[in-house]
Structures are given as C-alpha cells and as structure tokens.
Amino acid sequence: MTKSILDDGGAVQRLDPGGMLESVRSLPEQCRFAWDMARGLKLPGAYRSIDRIVIFGMGGSAISGDFFRAILSRECAVPVFNVRAYDMPPYVDERTLVIASSFSGDTEEVLSAFGQSLAVPAPKVVITTGGQLLTTARANGILAFTFEHHGEPRSAMGWGLMPLLAIAEELRLTHDVGRDVEEAVELMTRMLGEIDQHVPAAENAAKQMATALHEKLPVVYGAGPLIEVARRWKTQLNESGKTAAYFEELPEIHHNAIIGYALPKRIAKETAVIFLESETLVHHRVQLRYGYTKKVLQKAGTSTLEAKARGKSALAQMMGLVLLGDFVSTYLAFLYGVDPTPTTTIDDLKAWLKTQR
C-alpha cells in the first residue's frame, strides 16, 4: 500500500509553514486558558436585567456566537441573536446585552453595527485583540475582554467562545458550565492521541476522512446544536482545506434538498456528504431521518461519511467534533498540496474595500 503523504512528517512540515497544524492541536489548551482568564470578567449587576443578547460578529467570531446561542438555548429563556451585517437590528434597546466580537478589532461590519449601538443605552461588552473596536470601547467606557493569539482568527475559537460562556455564568444564565468546559477540554485532549499527525492513516479517523473527501465536493449535515458544528466544518473546509464546501440542516432538507440529490449525475457522484451524529443532541425522529437520507444519497451515487459525537455535555460533543473537523480540513489541504494557512482572496477583498467609499 502506498504511504499517505499525511504520514510523511517532512512533507507535512513543508506544506505547513504557517503552523496551522500546531494551531489546530492547541485548541484544547487554548480553551482551558481562555476559560480561566474569562472567568475574571466581572459585569455590573445591572447587566442581569436583560431580555436578549445580540452578538455582532463575522467569520470565526460569529461561529463562536452560533455555538453560544445553541448551548444557551438548551437551558435559558434569554434569546441570542447573531448579527452578521453592517446594521444594528431595530430591536436593540436598553434591555439588550450587546456583545461586539472581532478578532482583529477592525472588522468593518462589526465596527459599523457596534458604532450604531453607541446611540442606544444598552449594556455592552467587547471581545477582541485590539484594533479600532478596542479603541472605541475604551473611549466610551465599555467593558472589554482582550486576548493575544498568534495565529489565524479561525484558530482562535476558544478565545471567542469561552468569554461568552463566562458572561453567561456571570449573569446566571447557565448552570455549572465550568464542568462542561472541563469535559470538553479533556475529551479534545484524548482525541489528540487518536487524530494528530503522528498517528498513521490506517488508525487515524481524521486522515481517513480527509482522504475520502479528496477530489470530492464536501457537504456537511447536522441537526439540533450540530447545525452550528456543520457550519464550522463548512467554513474550515473553505478556509483551511481551500475547497468548495457546503452545509445543510436536518430535518429541513427533507422539505427541499432531498428532491435534488440525483441531478446533475456527474455532481452527485463527485459529492461526499458528512453526517454529524449524536445520540443525545439530535431528536430521535431526526436520527431516523439520517438513516433514510443516507440510503437516498447512496442510491444517487453520492458517498456518505459519519462523524459521531463523543462526550456527555452539548459543549463537549460540539467541541470534539470541531477538533475533528479542524484536523480533517487541514489534512485535506495537505492532500491538495497547499498551505492551509493563507486566505489570500479574503485579504485581497479587504484591501479592495479600503479603496471603495
């Protein structure tokens, strides 16, 4: 059997000058450190008098907001709205907790929406490494959680999510989330011994999945809280895997997408669908639909893959699947012979936007 390039340490090192693999494997420790640091964030008592939470964010920062919304919705009546737009929604008022999250602090959509929110007497928190967002927060006496991360924004998910969970704990919107964080960190740490680069492809589920996705169009399916994990997989496959990828949610696909599986035939055969599965987070009726959907896809000539969540808490199951997906997307880049770190097209777009007024 031909040795996989993924088992060639020298080849992987040459393809990864930006150190994406190291960033991926550091996620468990990042989450632990970010949680310990975020628990020191103290909010005024008045912040507890809220009816809703609105998070301004894009990209990796918005994904953290999606996870936060999914987790909080399981035990709290306060709704969370994630705004991926330039404009603040009209329902933001004095009983809305506004959280502006931007890795760089210079995300123009976030700066625009947050700037509009300054005219509203809403409680506010900023999560960032610096930039104009931090400058604006300090100029207006707004509480800021700041951090340092030497890597790409998409590899800083711990820094985006842990402060949100700490805010929920501080506001008494969640119960014993620290226990769930500990479980998530321990699970991801164990997983490193199973899917890190030193584990050969013959025993490595992440390498095997990346190989199955190579030269295929990946589509990721999720249900319940795993819809947000499916979105994360999709964006990681785009940014790190450098490939087109999409995500869908169940049971919604059974009211539309399932009709179009077979055509065009060539695309159906070149597509691979990854099912993110959980015995406790996915409704039992939806679990039945998973099995039926796989049969329909396979009949259409589309290959299917499974990624099963591990752990007890929603957070642990979601973060375990995140770690797996991050490794899969990075390995896929190596199979394509490309560096997973750069996002040149995004950088070019941002540079162009600066010339447009």
Side-chain angles (χ1 to χ4, degrees):
M1 181 181 292
T2 304
K3 181 180 179 180
S4 170
I5 189 176
L6 301 178
D7 290 340
D8 185 336
V12 166
Q13 187 173 15
R14 289 191 296 272
L15 289 168
D16 192 24
M20 181 55 69
L21 199 55
E22 180 57 36
S23 292
V24 169
R25 65 167 61 100
S26 69
L27 181 60
E29 190 58 31
Q30 178 190 128
C31 287
R32 186 191 301 277
F33 188 70
W35 170 250
D36 290 342
M37 183 173 166
R39 296 193 75 183
L41 188 63
K42 301 302 179 183
L43 304 177
Y47 277 42
R48 294 195 177 100
S49 301
I50 59 171
D51 294 330
R52 67 186 67 86
I53 299 172
V54 170
I55 302 174
F56 300 138
M58 302 296 299
S61 299
I63 291 288
S64 294
D66 291 331
F67 274 54
F68 177 64
R69 183 189 67 245
I71 291 168
L72 197 64
S73 68
R74 295 173 59 82
E75 56 181 293
C76 176
V78 175
V80 177
F81 301 91
N82 291 304
V83 177
R84 292 173 165 91
Y86 284 91
D87 293 322
M88 177 189 75
Y91 51 76
V92 172
D93 59 19
E94 68 277 2
R95 294 183 66 85
T96 303
L97 173 60
V98 171
I99 302 175
S101 181
S102 167
F103 179 87
S104 66
D106 292 317
T107 307
E108 65 174 62
E109 299 96 328
V110 175
L111 290 174
S112 175
F114 184 64
Q116 294 171 32
S117 76
L118 296 177
V120 180
K124 302 175 180 70
V125 178
V126 160
I127 300 172
T128 186
T129 62
Q132 184 58 46
L133 184 60
L134 182 58
T135 299
T136 301
R138 286 175 172 169
N140 288 274
I142 294 169
L143 188 66
F145 176 84
T146 60
F147 62 93
E148 293 183 5
H149 178 73
H150 303 290
E152 297 298 306
R154 63 186 182 276
S155 67
M157 188 170 180
W159 287 114
L161 179 57
M162 294 302 124
L164 296 175
L165 296 176
I167 288 171
E169 181 182 68
E170 173 73 3
L171 298 181
R172 301 172 186 169
L173 300 178
T174 189
H175 175 69
D176 204 10
V177 69
R179 175 195 58 196
D180 297 343
V181 171
E182 186 64 29
E183 184 199 5
V185 170
E186 291 179 357
L187 172 62
M188 289 190 288
T189 301
R190 290 198 305 272
M191 289 177 64
L192 289 177
E194 303 169 7
I195 60 175
D196 207 347
Q197 196 274 324
H198 71 274
V199 181
E203 305 166 16
N204 190 317
K207 290 182 179 181
Q208 292 168 11
M209 185 167 288
T211 301
L213 295 178
H214 188 220
E215 301 296 351
K216 295 280 190 177
L217 174 65
V219 182
V220 191
Y221 280 7
L226 301 189
I227 293 170
E228 309 310 336
V229 184
R231 183 197 293 269
R232 167 71 177 188
W233 273 58
K234 178 263 183 191
T235 58
Q236 289 295 91
L237 288 164
N238 292 154
E239 291 192 72
S240 293
K242 308 296 187 260
T243 184
Y246 303 91
F247 81 100
E248 294 269 14
E249 61 182 82
L250 279 83
E252 174 63 21
I253 62 162
H254 293 146
H255 298 269
N256 38 67
I258 194 171
I259 302 299
Y261 285 165
L263 299 174
K265 292 183 179 180
R266 182 170 63 87
I267 301 300
K269 292 180 180 179
E270 297 302 324
T271 298
V273 175
I274 307 104
F275 287 80
L276 305 183
E277 303 186 2
S278 167
E279 294 182 358
T280 58
L281 300 184
V282 176
H283 192 281
H284 71 278
R285 297 289 293 177
V286 178
Q287 292 185 45
L288 291 174
R289 290 168 179 260
Y290 270 43
Y292 187 89
T293 307
K294 291 173 189 176
K295 293 178 182 179
V296 177
L297 283 165
Q298 290 163 3
K299 184 177 180 180
T302 298
S303 58
T304 61
L305 306 168
E306 300 172 357
K308 297 183 182 295
R310 295 159 58 179
K312 295 181 180 179
S313 67
L315 180 64
Q317 292 189 50
M318 294 169 76
M319 292 307 295
L321 286 174
V322 164
L323 185 69
L324 175 62
D326 287 4
F327 269 104
V328 169
S329 62
T330 303
Y331 290 148
L332 186 57
F334 298 153
L335 290 173
Y336 280 121
V338 297
D339 180 354
T341 298
T343 52
T344 305
T345 304
I346 294 176
D347 297 337
D348 290 345
L349 169 63
K350 291 179 179 179
W352 177 79
L353 283 170
K354 290 180 179 179
T355 69
Q356 308 297 308
R357 294 299 176 199

